[in-house]
Amino acid sequence: MRIDIISVVPELLESTLNQSILRRAQEKGLVEIVVHNLHDYAHDKRKTTDDYPFGGEAGMVMKCEPVFELIEKLQSERDYDEVIFTSPDGITYDQHEANRLSTLGNIIILCGHYKGIDFRIREHLITREISIGDYVLTGGELAAAIITDSVVRLIPGAIGDEESALTDCFQDDLLAPPVYTRPADFRGWKVPDVLLSGNFAEIEKWKEAQAYERTKQLRPDLLEKLE
Ligand code: SAH
């Protein structure tokens, strides 16, 4: 898989995407993440990528030319399955969308900044608009990092224990059961006996019941969706 991220503040992405599981996934060749500095595609000496909005609104708007030039260049080099724009008015990002994106070959993520981007980019280049929640960020970089992180960890081989990604929260619309590690007794707070029993059928049953209970308590809306 290849993920191209387009940004006017690439520094915001570089350290996030080059640590831990994401770094190892790239080293193993499971994913190639390429961050592009949109300023490199500006036409003037000052590397301007934004301009004043028509109609006299406050704030600056990202210009068409550098974005079209860069995305069309990338599209001439390989096929892309989605050209994503991070936007507070997009579809709300969730695990189902992360699963879907992780099965794709190549994607582009365009990060907005300032007041937003010229609407013609959204009409003529973008195939999917994604919001990470009902709040407004200063730019799309953190949203792109969230999307990339959640997608890469689903690629087979990215996480050591492959099962582990499948048993996470939301994978079957249930929250994950509690997890524990040693010591079995910490300050008198004991790990549930069943987990120490070695009886794997009982352990599985306990985990399922816990997942269901926690979902009922904390996120009843997920159970309604299931039904
Ligand atoms: N004026 C715009 C907000 C601009 S915020 C509006 O009201 O819709 C600047 C950029 O940050 C956006 O273009 C978008 O790329 C990114 N952004 C802000 N909030 C976001 C969110 N919740 N999800 C994804 N991207 C977001």
Side-chain angles (χ1 to χ4, degrees):
M1 179 177 204
R2 174 170 162 140
I3 305 176
D4 289 87
I5 307 178
I6 302 173
S7 163
V8 288
V9 203
E11 300 80 10
L12 273 174
L13 287 157
E14 266 140 28
S15 74
T16 331
L17 299 177
N18 287 307
Q19 313 289 334
S20 179
I21 292 172
L22 267 72
R23 177 174 55 78
R24 287 200 296 275
Q26 293 173 80
E27 285 168 0
K28 286 189 218 162
L30 300 174
V31 64
E32 189 180 354
I33 304 174
V34 186
V35 177
H36 303 270
N37 186 343
L38 191 62
H39 292 289
D40 294 341
Y41 293 81
H43 289 177
D44 59 330
K45 269 206 188 119
R46 290 183 44 241
K47 305 275 176 213
T48 315
T49 55
D50 58 334
D51 208 336
Y52 292 98
F54 281 119
E57 273 221 43
M60 298 297 275
V61 174
M62 283 168 69
K63 291 161 66 65
C64 284
E65 297 92 328
V67 175
F68 271 85
E69 218 166 275
L70 171 52
I71 292 183
E72 283 170 352
K73 174 174 127 17
L74 290 171
Q75 285 173 327
S76 74
E77 291 165 357
R78 68 193 65 74
D79 289 331
Y80 284 92
D81 301 295
E82 292 282 20
V83 182
I84 296 165
F85 175 53
T86 58
S87 184
D89 57 9
I91 59 142
T92 306
Y93 193 61
D94 64 8
Q95 191 64 38
H96 293 284
E97 179 70 359
N99 290 344
R100 188 184 74 85
L101 293 179
S102 76
T103 65
L104 302 180
N106 304 314
I107 61 176
I108 293 174
I109 307 177
L110 172 64
C111 306
H113 223 84
Y114 320 114
K115 185 76 191 157
I117 63 173
D118 189 302
F119 201 71
R120 288 165 290 188
I121 301 170
R122 300 174 66 171
E123 284 177 314
H124 301 291
L125 274 180
I126 300 300
T127 60
R128 190 92 171 149
E129 300 190 326
I130 296 179
S131 162
I132 58 160
D134 286 347
Y135 40 82
V136 179
L137 305 164
T138 56
E141 286 74 17
L142 296 177
I146 285 172
I147 295 168
T148 304
D149 182 293
S150 56
V151 166
V152 169
R153 68 192 292 287
L154 291 171
I155 300 174
I159 298 190
D161 175 0
E162 280 208 26
E163 255 231 87
S164 152
L166 298 176
T167 55
D168 285 328
C169 275
F170 306 117
Q171 275 305 1
D172 40 17
D173 284 316
L174 289 176
L175 302 182
V179 292
Y180 299 89
T181 185
R182 284 181 290 189
D185 183 334
F186 175 69
R187 298 185 177 172
W189 299 315
K190 296 203 173 72
V191 170
D193 285 338
V194 58
L195 293 179
L196 311 176
S197 68
N199 182 336
F200 290 104
E202 280 303 312
I203 292 174
E204 261 329 292
K205 253 185 15 207
W206 179 86
K207 285 185 183 169
E208 274 169 34
Q210 286 287 321
Y212 183 80
E213 262 321 301
R214 288 181 60 73
T215 312
K216 199 166 112 188
Q217 259 181 34
L218 303 170
R219 292 293 305 275
D221 57 301
L222 293 176
L223 290 182
E224 276 162 32
K225 233 173 33 182
L226 265 184
E227 279 153 16

